[in-house]
Amino acid sequence: SSSGPLILYTIRLAVRIEGYLKYALKKCVPGQPRPRGLETLDNIKVENALKKIRALLDSQAIPTLEYWIDPSRNKDVDIACLVHAHLLYLFKNYDYKDLDFR
């Protein structure tokens, strides 16, 4: 559909923002000097934003992408590869401790 590329772009953008917020939290340890530009970072707000972003990705992005790759619906291998790549990209910012079985 015509909205497909926009949805994929939005997913990639959300994953990149999630990665930056995780980086910012990692660099803003209490008692340590903060990097320039992150002096006023509110760790609690950033942690809440991270949870919201991850909840949206888990509740909306993953089911949408899984719907798109259903073999009965999609016969185009190129599109299936693109969607699988986006599914993998969703887990780019995961640490081992973040993984769980559903």
Side-chain angles (χ1 to χ4, degrees):
S1 80
S2 61
S3 60
L6 181 61
I7 293 169
L8 294 177
Y9 171 75
T10 306
I11 290 170
R12 290 191 309 271
L13 181 61
V15 171
R16 288 181 186 131
I17 291 170
E18 179 189 44
Y20 177 75
L21 292 177
K22 280 190 169 191
Y23 167 80
L25 279 179
K26 194 182 301 182
K27 292 295 181 180
C28 294
V29 179
Q32 298 288 332
R34 292 181 171 211
R36 186 175 53 197
L38 298 177
E39 297 90 0
T40 60
L41 182 80
D42 184 349
N43 287 13
I44 307 251
K45 286 183 180 179
V46 172
E47 287 173 4
N48 289 335
L50 270 171
K51 289 177 186 172
K52 287 179 184 177
I53 290 171
R54 181 43 54 185
L56 279 172
L57 290 173
D58 288 344
S59 67
Q60 294 182 6
I62 291 174
T64 300
L65 294 175
E66 287 177 340
Y67 176 81
W68 287 355
I69 58 172
D70 183 11
S72 65
R73 211 177 276 58
N74 180 18
K75 304 291 184 199
D76 188 348
V77 174
D78 291 336
I79 292 174
C81 288
L82 180 70
V83 174
H84 274 97
H86 280 78
L87 271 170
L88 286 173
Y89 193 69
L90 285 170
F91 300 100
K92 173 182 180 274
N93 300 314
Y94 267 44
D95 292 328
Y96 183 75
K97 63 180 173 42
D98 296 331
L99 298 173
D100 65 352
F101 295 100
R102 298 181 195 187

